[in-house]
Amino acid sequence: MQPTRTQMMPSLRKKVAGFIRQLSVNNQNENVDQIDSSGPSTGCFIQRYLSGHDVRQTEPVILHGRNPHELPRKNIGTIILDNEFAAVTGPDGGLTTVNRRQRHLSTSDPDVDYIDIQQHGTDQERNDTDGVQQIISPSSDVAGVLDWSRPHSRAYGAATTLYERHPLTKQHAGSPIADCFGIVARKNSAILALADGVNWGEKACIAARSAVHGCIDYLNKAVFTSGNITNTTEVFVSLLRSFHAAHSLILQESGMLTTLTTALVLPLADSDRFVACICNVGDSLSYVYSAQHGVREITKGSHDIHCMRDMRDALGALGPVDGQNPELNNLTCSMTEVEPGDIVFITSDGVSDNFDPVVGKFAVLPPSDNLNLKASSSTVKVSGTSGDFPSSSSLPTVQAYQRHELSLLRMDDLLKNGVSGNGPPCEDAKTLCEMLLDFATRLTAAKRHILEDPDLYYTTVEGSTELTELSRAEQRSRRRKVCEKIAMVPGKLDHATVVAYQVGVYKTDEDPNASDDDLLVETVL
């Protein structure tokens, strides 16, 4: 449910005190290089980090590569194929709204050399040369799931729009929401997928839904139905093939471009631990939240954390970017071990970018980097506001790697301490999704308030109380005049989506020994 305008519009003072508590740096007039690192480790986490006191503890290793053979092989334990306890997709029907007649790769084809789609021509050429079979999904289910409206506190997803409403029609800018998510959670495993359609419109929406439909349906056949997966190398082969299935369905449905991030969480052999295997293209990022280790980004290998990135550039996309070919510049395979109770989650950039310290207006870029980003052009994606604002001497300057680290710390601080700083901490996947979306919604409230001013769309005729709609040219002229005001407030307007899964072995309602606490921390045999 959308919060009311009163709830969404706290004063700037309250925003600073509540939503962006990081602004409480004791000496805001000092640059980060001038902060005394010998001082006490007190104050907000932003101050502690920039002072060199808040050093992240050693965290589990995150590995990444361009193909499955660049990653170590880990044996997968027994995947329990009981009926799924949760399956949910969205928004507005999500993956269930695209055509069920789906072409994709045969799960039994041993040849994986054609995985790099850009090097092997069109979809039809691959069908002719690589023996790709046509598989028709049953009209009654997708990925073996009949009912996609079964969220669970430990397997959940949600999406919203951060864009402004038209003051009279009440329609959101950028409609429909061009993101899509899907999750299927079984007793000791899960598939999560999130796609963010590039730009606005129906074609972007179709691309995102087709991508999620195609990859999840393929993975269900390759990993669960076949029962032939024994190690992580085979998991990544299936993940990359599922991206081909996603791309093929986008072309079949005449969609445009979309990012795609897909995660498989599976038990490890001879261990009580699990492995999260992720494949992503574009700027939809995957994370894991641990009460012990905090938030770490699993997909950090897909973007250079030491370079300032233009947030208008998605870095890659499925769909017809170049003729019938996708753009796979940042296609990346990533993996990390996770423990029962950890929460693996994926966000669209409408969420992740709003945790950026520059977008949140509690830090600024070095002047040279700010100018370079302003001058750069978008190669794939333009959505919302870039989030890179004019420099202010009252705020600390951060380098690219500090932006990345502070984004993770801000996310971790929210999940552990809540918006107010007084908790309670996040304890399950549903709460995590709600907290992240609530933060992004509240952070961007001031921007929406400015853009929802009726004076930007209508004028009152002299001697009349009736409103007359302005011409398109006049509307654009008035909106340009408020750009400076918009740049002074935090946040990036975009579609915002999160999908999350809490790792563990779960008892289902059919289990006679099921209890209220359905997360079991036990060894997976």
mmCIF file of all heavy atoms in Angstrom, residues 31 37 57 63 80 158 167 183 201 209 213 231 251 281-282 299 328 346 360 362 408 413 428 443 450 459-460 470 486:
data_model
loop_
_atom_site.group_PDB
_atom_site.id
_atom_site.type_symbol
_atom_site.label_atom_id
_atom_site.label_comp_id
_atom_site.label_asym_id
_atom_site.label_seq_id
_atom_site.Cartn_x
_atom_site.Cartn_y
_atom_site.Cartn_z
ATOM 1 N N ASN A 31 37.023 18.065 4.810
ATOM 2 C CA ASN A 31 37.069 17.032 3.786
ATOM 3 C C ASN A 31 37.472 15.719 4.433
ATOM 4 O O ASN A 31 38.099 15.697 5.482
ATOM 5 C CB ASN A 31 38.090 17.432 2.717
ATOM 6 C CG ASN A 31 38.077 16.480 1.538
ATOM 7 O OD1 ASN A 31 38.685 15.432 1.592
ATOM 8 N ND2 ASN A 31 37.383 16.886 0.477
ATOM 9 N N SER A 37 42.057 10.563 11.901
ATOM 10 C CA SER A 37 41.771 9.127 12.035
ATOM 11 C C SER A 37 42.162 8.583 13.396
ATOM 12 O O SER A 37 41.951 7.415 13.682
ATOM 13 C CB SER A 37 42.533 8.360 10.945
ATOM 14 O OG SER A 37 43.921 8.535 11.107
ATOM 15 N N GLN A 57 34.470 -6.339 8.932
ATOM 16 C CA GLN A 57 35.119 -7.585 9.319
ATOM 17 C C GLN A 57 35.335 -8.471 8.090
ATOM 18 O O GLN A 57 34.731 -8.282 7.041
ATOM 19 C CB GLN A 57 34.258 -8.327 10.341
ATOM 20 C CG GLN A 57 34.061 -7.572 11.652
ATOM 21 C CD GLN A 57 33.167 -8.345 12.601
ATOM 22 O OE1 GLN A 57 32.566 -9.339 12.235
ATOM 23 N NE2 GLN A 57 33.092 -7.876 13.827
ATOM 24 N N LEU A 63 33.365 -14.916 -5.383
ATOM 25 C CA LEU A 63 34.123 -15.245 -6.587
ATOM 26 C C LEU A 63 33.311 -14.882 -7.821
ATOM 27 O O LEU A 63 32.078 -14.970 -7.814
ATOM 28 C CB LEU A 63 34.447 -16.742 -6.600
ATOM 29 C CG LEU A 63 35.215 -17.265 -5.380
ATOM 30 C CD1 LEU A 63 35.229 -18.783 -5.375
ATOM 31 C CD2 LEU A 63 36.636 -16.712 -5.367
ATOM 32 N N ILE A 80 16.063 -31.236 -2.308
ATOM 33 C CA ILE A 80 14.788 -31.847 -1.922
ATOM 34 C C ILE A 80 13.690 -31.287 -2.812
ATOM 35 O O ILE A 80 13.426 -30.077 -2.815
ATOM 36 C CB ILE A 80 14.483 -31.575 -0.440
ATOM 37 C CG1 ILE A 80 15.642 -32.100 0.425
ATOM 38 C CG2 ILE A 80 13.168 -32.245 -0.042
ATOM 39 C CD1 ILE A 80 15.518 -31.744 1.896
ATOM 40 N N ALA A 158 8.592 -7.632 -4.066
ATOM 41 C CA ALA A 158 7.681 -6.496 -4.146
ATOM 42 C C ALA A 158 8.255 -5.462 -5.102
ATOM 43 O O ALA A 158 9.473 -5.370 -5.295
ATOM 44 C CB ALA A 158 7.454 -5.869 -2.771
ATOM 45 N N PRO A 167 -0.880 15.577 -11.236
ATOM 46 C CA PRO A 167 -1.722 16.139 -10.167
ATOM 47 C C PRO A 167 -3.220 15.969 -10.384
ATOM 48 O O PRO A 167 -3.974 15.947 -9.410
ATOM 49 C CB PRO A 167 -1.331 17.626 -10.148
ATOM 50 C CG PRO A 167 -0.698 17.877 -11.474
ATOM 51 C CD PRO A 167 -0.029 16.604 -11.862
ATOM 52 N N ILE A 183 10.119 -15.615 -7.890
ATOM 53 C CA ILE A 183 10.842 -16.466 -6.953
ATOM 54 C C ILE A 183 10.062 -17.751 -6.732
ATOM 55 O O ILE A 183 8.836 -17.728 -6.576
ATOM 56 C CB ILE A 183 11.108 -15.750 -5.605
ATOM 57 C CG1 ILE A 183 11.858 -16.670 -4.645
ATOM 58 C CG2 ILE A 183 9.833 -15.221 -4.983
ATOM 59 C CD1 ILE A 183 12.351 -15.969 -3.377
ATOM 60 N N GLY A 201 7.722 2.198 -20.888
ATOM 61 C CA GLY A 201 6.769 1.739 -21.888
ATOM 62 C C GLY A 201 6.477 0.253 -21.866
ATOM 63 O O GLY A 201 7.116 -0.531 -21.169
ATOM 64 N N ARG A 209 9.335 -9.040 -18.266
ATOM 65 C CA ARG A 209 8.510 -10.199 -17.920
ATOM 66 C C ARG A 209 8.919 -11.428 -18.713
ATOM 67 O O ARG A 209 8.931 -12.549 -18.179
ATOM 68 C CB ARG A 209 7.038 -9.855 -18.145
ATOM 69 C CG ARG A 209 6.544 -8.764 -17.212
ATOM 70 C CD ARG A 209 5.099 -8.387 -17.441
ATOM 71 N NE ARG A 209 4.672 -7.382 -16.464
ATOM 72 C CZ ARG A 209 3.421 -7.009 -16.277
ATOM 73 N NH1 ARG A 209 2.454 -7.557 -16.999
ATOM 74 N NH2 ARG A 209 3.118 -6.104 -15.375
ATOM 75 N N HIS A 213 10.307 -14.896 -17.046
ATOM 76 C CA HIS A 213 9.595 -16.120 -17.434
ATOM 77 C C HIS A 213 10.554 -17.119 -18.066
ATOM 78 O O HIS A 213 10.610 -18.300 -17.682
ATOM 79 C CB HIS A 213 8.476 -15.750 -18.423
ATOM 80 C CG HIS A 213 7.682 -16.921 -18.931
ATOM 81 N ND1 HIS A 213 6.326 -16.979 -18.848
ATOM 82 C CD2 HIS A 213 8.057 -18.086 -19.537
ATOM 83 C CE1 HIS A 213 5.887 -18.114 -19.380
ATOM 84 N NE2 HIS A 213 6.932 -18.803 -19.813
ATOM 85 N N ASN A 231 27.169 -30.242 -9.478
ATOM 86 C CA ASN A 231 28.189 -29.292 -9.027
ATOM 87 C C ASN A 231 27.891 -27.892 -9.553
ATOM 88 O O ASN A 231 27.022 -27.710 -10.419
ATOM 89 C CB ASN A 231 29.590 -29.752 -9.450
ATOM 90 C CG ASN A 231 29.721 -29.908 -10.960
ATOM 91 O OD1 ASN A 231 29.629 -28.947 -11.701
ATOM 92 N ND2 ASN A 231 29.921 -31.150 -11.409
ATOM 93 N N LEU A 251 12.657 -11.805 -27.815
ATOM 94 C CA LEU A 251 12.520 -11.625 -29.257
ATOM 95 C C LEU A 251 11.185 -12.163 -29.750
ATOM 96 O O LEU A 251 10.515 -11.542 -30.590
ATOM 97 C CB LEU A 251 13.666 -12.331 -29.985
ATOM 98 C CG LEU A 251 15.088 -11.838 -29.675
ATOM 99 C CD1 LEU A 251 16.104 -12.624 -30.498
ATOM 100 C CD2 LEU A 251 15.230 -10.347 -29.910
ATOM 101 N N VAL A 281 23.378 -9.606 -16.047
ATOM 102 C CA VAL A 281 23.766 -8.680 -17.096
ATOM 103 C C VAL A 281 22.996 -7.387 -16.839
ATOM 104 O O VAL A 281 21.805 -7.407 -16.542
ATOM 105 C CB VAL A 281 23.475 -9.244 -18.502
ATOM 106 C CG1 VAL A 281 21.995 -9.497 -18.713
ATOM 107 C CG2 VAL A 281 24.024 -8.326 -19.586
ATOM 108 N N GLY A 282 23.702 -6.256 -16.884
ATOM 109 C CA GLY A 282 23.074 -4.982 -16.562
ATOM 110 C C GLY A 282 23.367 -4.556 -15.142
ATOM 111 O O GLY A 282 24.300 -5.055 -14.506
ATOM 112 N N THR A 299 27.347 -9.435 -6.769
ATOM 113 C CA THR A 299 27.558 -9.127 -8.186
ATOM 114 C C THR A 299 28.592 -8.023 -8.418
ATOM 115 O O THR A 299 28.650 -7.440 -9.499
ATOM 116 C CB THR A 299 26.224 -8.696 -8.828
ATOM 117 O OG1 THR A 299 25.616 -7.680 -8.003
ATOM 118 C CG2 THR A 299 25.272 -9.859 -8.954
ATOM 119 N N LEU A 328 26.245 -7.949 -23.942
ATOM 120 C CA LEU A 328 26.699 -8.772 -22.826
ATOM 121 C C LEU A 328 28.030 -8.293 -22.263
ATOM 122 O O LEU A 328 28.824 -9.084 -21.759
ATOM 123 C CB LEU A 328 26.816 -10.231 -23.274
ATOM 124 C CG LEU A 328 25.546 -10.856 -23.867
ATOM 125 C CD1 LEU A 328 25.810 -12.296 -24.282
ATOM 126 C CD2 LEU A 328 24.384 -10.770 -22.899
ATOM 127 N N ILE A 346 17.908 -9.558 -4.504
ATOM 128 C CA ILE A 346 18.241 -8.852 -5.741
ATOM 129 C C ILE A 346 17.428 -7.564 -5.772
ATOM 130 O O ILE A 346 16.250 -7.555 -5.391
ATOM 131 C CB ILE A 346 17.915 -9.700 -6.982
ATOM 132 C CG1 ILE A 346 18.546 -11.096 -6.886
ATOM 133 C CG2 ILE A 346 18.372 -9.004 -8.255
ATOM 134 C CD1 ILE A 346 18.085 -12.049 -7.984
ATOM 135 N N GLY A 360 22.029 10.109 -2.063
ATOM 136 C CA GLY A 360 21.391 10.413 -0.789
ATOM 137 C C GLY A 360 21.756 11.773 -0.224
ATOM 138 O O GLY A 360 21.242 12.164 0.824
ATOM 139 N N PHE A 362 24.508 12.914 1.205
ATOM 140 C CA PHE A 362 25.331 13.067 2.393
ATOM 141 C C PHE A 362 26.813 12.965 2.049
ATOM 142 O O PHE A 362 27.660 12.871 2.922
ATOM 143 C CB PHE A 362 24.954 12.080 3.501
ATOM 144 C CG PHE A 362 24.988 10.636 3.124
ATOM 145 C CD1 PHE A 362 26.164 9.907 3.172
ATOM 146 C CD2 PHE A 362 23.837 9.985 2.736
ATOM 147 C CE1 PHE A 362 26.193 8.570 2.840
ATOM 148 C CE2 PHE A 362 23.857 8.640 2.397
ATOM 149 C CZ PHE A 362 25.038 7.926 2.450
ATOM 150 N N LEU A 408 26.799 -0.073 0.878
ATOM 151 C CA LEU A 408 26.588 -1.324 1.613
ATOM 152 C C LEU A 408 26.394 -1.057 3.098
ATOM 153 O O LEU A 408 25.527 -1.670 3.743
ATOM 154 C CB LEU A 408 27.773 -2.265 1.397
ATOM 155 C CG LEU A 408 28.047 -2.716 -0.040
ATOM 156 C CD1 LEU A 408 29.264 -3.638 -0.084
ATOM 157 C CD2 LEU A 408 26.836 -3.403 -0.648
ATOM 158 N N ASP A 413 23.081 -0.684 7.847
ATOM 159 C CA ASP A 413 22.598 0.108 8.975
ATOM 160 C C ASP A 413 21.077 0.126 9.031
ATOM 161 O O ASP A 413 20.471 -0.008 10.099
ATOM 162 C CB ASP A 413 23.139 1.536 8.857
ATOM 163 C CG ASP A 413 22.709 2.418 10.012
ATOM 164 O OD1 ASP A 413 23.169 2.186 11.144
ATOM 165 O OD2 ASP A 413 21.899 3.343 9.780
ATOM 166 N N ASP A 428 13.569 -11.376 8.366
ATOM 167 C CA ASP A 428 13.149 -12.288 7.305
ATOM 168 C C ASP A 428 13.108 -11.561 5.965
ATOM 169 O O ASP A 428 13.300 -10.339 5.893
ATOM 170 C CB ASP A 428 11.796 -12.936 7.613
ATOM 171 C CG ASP A 428 10.686 -11.918 7.862
ATOM 172 O OD1 ASP A 428 10.601 -10.937 7.105
ATOM 173 O OD2 ASP A 428 9.905 -12.112 8.815
ATOM 174 N N LEU A 443 12.862 8.480 0.789
ATOM 175 C CA LEU A 443 13.995 9.310 0.390
ATOM 176 C C LEU A 443 13.658 10.190 -0.808
ATOM 177 O O LEU A 443 14.145 11.316 -0.919
ATOM 178 C CB LEU A 443 15.196 8.417 0.061
ATOM 179 C CG LEU A 443 16.491 9.135 -0.312
ATOM 180 C CD1 LEU A 443 17.082 9.833 0.910
ATOM 181 C CD2 LEU A 443 17.499 8.168 -0.910
ATOM 182 N N ILE A 450 7.868 18.101 -5.533
ATOM 183 C CA ILE A 450 8.189 19.213 -6.433
ATOM 184 C C ILE A 450 7.557 18.995 -7.802
ATOM 185 O O ILE A 450 6.964 19.910 -8.392
ATOM 186 C CB ILE A 450 9.720 19.363 -6.564
ATOM 187 C CG1 ILE A 450 10.327 19.801 -5.232
ATOM 188 C CG2 ILE A 450 10.080 20.354 -7.669
ATOM 189 C CD1 ILE A 450 11.850 19.744 -5.197
ATOM 190 N N THR A 459 -2.625 26.106 -15.798
ATOM 191 C CA THR A 459 -2.657 27.515 -15.418
ATOM 192 C C THR A 459 -4.107 27.933 -15.262
ATOM 193 O O THR A 459 -5.019 27.287 -15.811
ATOM 194 C CB THR A 459 -1.960 28.386 -16.478
ATOM 195 O OG1 THR A 459 -1.887 29.731 -15.993
ATOM 196 C CG2 THR A 459 -2.726 28.378 -17.799
ATOM 197 N N THR A 460 -4.323 28.991 -14.515
ATOM 198 C CA THR A 460 -5.673 29.505 -14.293
ATOM 199 C C THR A 460 -5.904 30.701 -15.212
ATOM 200 O O THR A 460 -5.119 31.656 -15.223
ATOM 201 C CB THR A 460 -5.852 29.946 -12.834
ATOM 202 O OG1 THR A 460 -5.591 28.846 -11.981
ATOM 203 C CG2 THR A 460 -7.274 30.427 -12.593
ATOM 204 N N LEU A 470 -1.507 23.387 -19.856
ATOM 205 C CA LEU A 470 -0.460 24.054 -20.610
ATOM 206 C C LEU A 470 -0.062 23.224 -21.823
ATOM 207 O O LEU A 470 -0.255 22.003 -21.855
ATOM 208 C CB LEU A 470 0.768 24.264 -19.719
ATOM 209 C CG LEU A 470 0.586 25.159 -18.494
ATOM 210 C CD1 LEU A 470 1.812 25.061 -17.590
ATOM 211 C CD2 LEU A 470 0.356 26.610 -18.910
ATOM 212 N N ILE A 486 15.116 20.561 -7.778
ATOM 213 C CA ILE A 486 15.150 19.107 -7.704
ATOM 214 C C ILE A 486 16.537 18.622 -7.321
ATOM 215 O O ILE A 486 16.706 17.676 -6.548
ATOM 216 C CB ILE A 486 14.711 18.491 -9.048
ATOM 217 C CG1 ILE A 486 13.227 18.760 -9.285
ATOM 218 C CG2 ILE A 486 14.975 16.987 -9.065
ATOM 219 C CD1 ILE A 486 12.748 18.304 -10.643
#
